[in-house]
Amino acid sequence: MLAQVLKEAVTAGAAQLTYYFNNPELKTAYKEGGVNDLVTEADHAADKAIIEVIRSYYPDHFILSEETGNVATDSEYKWIIDPIDGTINFAQGIPLCCVSIGLEKNGEMMMGAVYAPILNEFFFAEKGKGATLNDSPIHVSSRKDVLHACLVTGFPYTYINDANGPLECFERFIRRGIPVRRLGSAAIDLCWVAAGRFDGFYEHKLNAWDSAAGWLIVEEAGGKVTNMEGETYNPYKPRIVATNGIIHDELLQWLKGNVPA
C-alpha cells in the first residue's frame, strides 16, 4: 500500500510538472537562499498535489517538503518531498527536472521514487528489494578507477569557502582530464549513478529532499553512499558521495586532495 501511494503521489506531482513545462506564462520568484534559488508556481502546484495524495491515505503521517516545510506529527512515517528538483532547468525548458519523494520509517529510509516525466524515466527502490527504471532492474557501473570514471556534481547557490570546496574539487578532476558533468538536479544525478550512466556523484551542500529518494536508489542498485569522510550517509547533513562502490574509497581520497601522481 505504501509503495502504491508513493507512486501515486510522485505521478500526481509529475502531472503538474508536465502541465507547466515550457509554459511562457509560468510565474517565478526567488527565495532568500541565493540569487538564483528559484521557485515557480509549478513547484507549489506539484507540492499541493503530492501532499493531497499522501493526506488522503495517511492524514497523520509526518511530511517534510522543500516548499511546505515541516508538517510534524508523532507518526513513525515521514515523507520527504522535492516537488520539482532542478527548478532552474524546469523554468528554462530544460528537461532535466523531476519529482523526488523518499519515505522514512523510524528514521530509516525504506522507499524512494524519482520521476522525470519529460524524459519518461521513473526510478523506484524499496529497501532490500533492488532498484528499477520503468519497472526494469538497474545496477551501478563496474568502472574500477577514478581516472577513467565519468562523474557528476553540482554547485550550491551560496558558495562554500571551506578547504576542498566545490571549485577546488572540480578543478582537481578536470586538470586530469576526468569528465565531470553538472546536470542541475541532484535526484537525477543519483539515479543516473544507480543506472550506471555515471560512476560517481559528489556534492557539498544538499538538503534532505534533494537526496532522500536518490541515495536509497543508488544503494539498492548496488552502489555505495557516504558523506565526504566516508561515514554513514545522513540526508539531513549537507555532503554526499555516491558511487558504484568500486571507486568509492579512491574518490573520497581525490575529494580530500590526495590525488595520485
Side-chain angles (χ1 to χ4, degrees):
M1 183 67 176
L2 285 165
Q4 176 189 329
V5 174
L6 173 58
K7 291 176 181 179
E8 185 178 334
V10 169
T11 301
Q16 296 300 318
L17 186 159
T18 303
Y19 174 79
Y20 284 99
F21 188 72
N22 269 337
N23 186 333
E25 298 180 359
L26 181 72
K27 296 175 183 176
T28 63
Y30 291 96
K31 301 179 183 180
E32 296 180 0
V35 66
N36 285 310
D37 196 357
L38 193 68
V39 64
T40 73
E41 61 182 318
D43 293 86
H44 294 300
D47 191 55
K48 182 174 183 289
I50 291 164
I51 292 173
E52 282 180 352
V53 170
I54 296 168
R55 283 279 180 258
S56 70
Y57 291 95
Y58 303 114
D60 62 333
H61 280 194
F62 193 124
I63 285 175
L64 170 61
S65 168
E66 179 177 13
E67 305 309 335
T68 300
N70 264 319
V71 183
T73 71
D74 59 2
S75 172
E76 62 183 346
Y77 292 99
K78 180 193 287 187
W79 300 77
I80 306 171
I81 303 163
D82 195 339
I84 299 181
D85 187 57
T87 298
I88 288 182
N89 286 351
F90 168 79
Q92 293 289 125
I94 300 168
L96 295 169
C97 48
C98 63
V99 180
S100 175
I101 306 176
L103 177 60
E104 277 186 358
K105 182 180 180 182
N106 294 323
E108 183 178 11
M109 202 65 62
M110 60 176 295
M111 210 172 289
V114 173
Y115 187 13
I118 312 302
L119 302 177
N120 189 32
E121 295 195 342
F122 193 119
F123 295 88
F124 177 80
E126 185 173 354
K127 191 168 183 63
K129 296 186 177 181
T132 60
L133 165 56
N134 296 342
D135 296 323
S136 295
I138 55 174
H139 200 274
V140 294
S141 75
S142 57
R143 190 79 62 196
K144 292 181 170 57
D145 61 86
V146 170
L147 198 60
H148 296 95
C150 184
L151 306 177
V152 64
T153 190
F155 295 143
Y157 293 121
T158 51
Y159 193 75
I160 300 168
N161 289 312
D162 298 345
N164 293 320
L167 285 177
E168 289 84 353
C169 290
F170 184 69
E171 180 183 20
R172 203 170 291 145
F173 294 117
I174 63 172
R175 284 189 178 277
R176 295 294 295 273
I178 298 170
V180 183
R181 304 295 181 244
R182 199 268 195 235
L183 303 185
S185 166
I188 290 177
D189 293 340
L190 286 161
C191 288
W192 286 15
V193 171
R197 297 171 183 171
F198 292 121
D199 306 302
F201 163 68
Y202 68 92
E203 192 155 345
H204 289 75
K205 190 176 182 182
L206 290 182
N207 293 296
W209 46 77
D210 298 310
S211 64
W215 79 268
L216 179 64
I217 293 169
V218 171
E219 290 201 332
E220 287 299 315
K224 184 174 182 178
V225 185
T226 68
N227 65 14
M228 288 188 174
E229 285 68 50
E231 300 163 341
T232 301
Y233 181 63
N234 180 345
Y236 300 100
K237 294 187 178 180
R239 297 169 188 250
I240 185 172
V241 180
T243 72
N244 63 7
I246 304 168
I247 68 167
H248 200 90
D249 291 343
E250 185 188 356
L251 182 57
L252 290 173
Q253 292 304 310
W254 278 76
L255 292 169
K256 292 173 183 176
N258 301 325
V259 179

